[in-house]
Amino acid sequence: MKVYISATLRGFFGRNETFDIDAGTIREVVAWLTDEYPDSKKVLFDENDKVRGFIRIYVGDENKTTRSRWDEKIPADKTVLFLPAIAGGAPNKSIISDDRRKEVSFNDKEIERFGKHLLLREIGVKGQKRIKAARVVVIGAGALGSPVIQYLAAAGVGTIKVVDFDEVSLENLQSQVIHSTRDVNRPKTASARDTVRNINRDIIFEPENVKLEADNIVSVIDGYDLVIDCTDNYKARYLINDACVFCGIPLIFGAIYQYEGQVGVFNLKGGPCFRCQFPEPPEPGLVPTCAEGGAISPLPGIIGSIQANEALKLIIGIGESLDGRLLTIDSLYLHSTILKVEKNCDCPLCGNNPVITGVEDFDYEEFCGLRESEDEVPIEGFTPDELAKRIENGDDITIVDVREPHERAILRFPNAIVIPIGQLARRQNELDPEKDTIFVCKEGKRSILAINTLREAGYKGPLYNLKGGIDAMKDIIFSHEGA
Ligand SMILES: [Zn+2]
């Protein structure tokens, strides 16, 4: 039987993408994988041996994550898919009412501009009026937001609100095609506004230069027809999903990692929400984010364009949306799948007995593991300056680099030994408990996970974290290695 491991999880499976396993059930597949790759247990199961909430196991398009389905016989020609969160096929009825459509009119210029839409039988003048009447919120003016915002503006969406608190940086320009070199250091909302004006001056562009939190998100999205999630972190994704459920707004989800992307439509007319599919985020550091893992330049263009296409389908009311389905695309092998997403009647948000009653009552920091718990032994760390000083003094310390090989290829940490997180427990004898050992990663988060992993494995020596990671230390000791 063929088993496919999604890119974010491959580090725990010897970097393999697929396995051919002699097995007939999920139980046998899991037993084989965890036997062969003991480190994978940590990412697949929690301490109560439950499959972690951000991992789903599919056979074909059937969700078989629940253990009661693990003994079902799997046909040999089917592929088993291990899918993490990265981040209904009923024909559509438009989310824009007829009354609002009837209030819209066009001038001659608009008739010419949107001529190619008017030619399409399914869109026509009525559909184009719905597009002009629509009010859409795009959260994130980065990689996914770039194609989403530009295509919505080009298609004539009447009101586009863009939410982002960030500024454009040079490294953004590899994929964030709504911004240009001259926009570096400008707010992303301002740069996006300029680009949108160049495309279409007639639409209403609403920049919202804020960081979304539980106490402001409802006021930002309430009253809009559609929200498009173009963010890159779990806290934002759950916050956006929950706020959409409370405001009764459908959500178009998109996510990217390296060569792989996901698109889904949630909360459409009482359909499943993001929590129904992925009840829990991974612990911080357990799987790399897109910022840490990178992504090939056109991937957000592909995924964001599909998000924009889904948005137009919902607005016009045509085709079959990704409601209750999740599209995954592996751009490297052009392997794509549409998975069924079922409404979870036990969903704490949209299930039969919801326990989350408002975004302000839910602790997103805690849920996403972003707050250090009090009973844990605090992790001590060095600032980049302190570490640089110890290196300069020639102190007898050990530096362990836990980054992925491709990250090390960009920037090598001098004199560091390299141990991937998955191998730490069994290679702890390579460390000297008499010496100070400092863990480094890109942003200083995975290194904390590494320290916790070693402590759990019983290592007793002094362990330190490089605060802010190698990113914070770049200017101090590194010179770029020639490629
Ligand atoms: Zn739900």
Side-chain angles (χ1 to χ4, degrees), residues 5 56 87 91 98-100 131 136 182 242-243 262 300 307 312 330-331 342 355 363 365 381 398 462:
I5 310 285
R56 304 288 86 176
D98 285 344
D99 285 349
R100 282 174 58 196
I131 296 173
V136 177
R182 63 165 190 273
D242 297 2
Q262 301 176 346
Q307 286 180 282
L312 291 176
D330 182 332
S331 71
E342 273 155 31
V355 292
D363 191 338
E365 297 271 318
T398 310

Side-chain angles (χ1 to χ4, degrees), residues 272-276 343-344 347 349-351:
C273 80
F274 181 66
R275 277 184 195 266
C276 291
K343 179 118 179 156
N344 173 11
C347 176
L349 183 72
C350 75

Side-chain angles (χ1 to χ4, degrees), residues 263 313 474:
V263 187
K313 281 161 61 184
K474 253 181 214 164

Side-chain angles (χ1 to χ4, degrees), residues 269-310:
K269 300 179 186 116
C273 80
F274 181 66
R275 277 184 195 266
C276 291
Q277 173 70 355
F278 296 114
E280 287 167 0
E283 284 167 50
L286 194 58
V287 293
T289 63
C290 175
E292 293 165 337
I296 192 165
S297 170
L299 179 64
I302 298 169
I303 298 298
S305 298
I306 296 173
Q307 286 180 282
N309 198 54
E310 287 299 300

Side-chain angles (χ1 to χ4, degrees), residues 345-388:
C345 57
D346 295 324
C347 176
L349 183 72
C350 75
N352 295 338
N353 299 297
V355 292
I356 303 170
T357 50
V359 283
E360 295 207 56
D361 305 331
F362 190 82
D363 191 338
Y364 291 91
E365 297 271 318
E366 176 76 38
F367 180 63
C368 296
L370 300 174
R371 189 173 297 136
E372 281 178 42
S373 103
E374 279 157 18
D375 41 84
E376 263 173 39
V377 186
I379 289 168
E380 291 182 59
F382 290 128
T383 64
D385 282 324
E386 288 164 350
L387 180 57

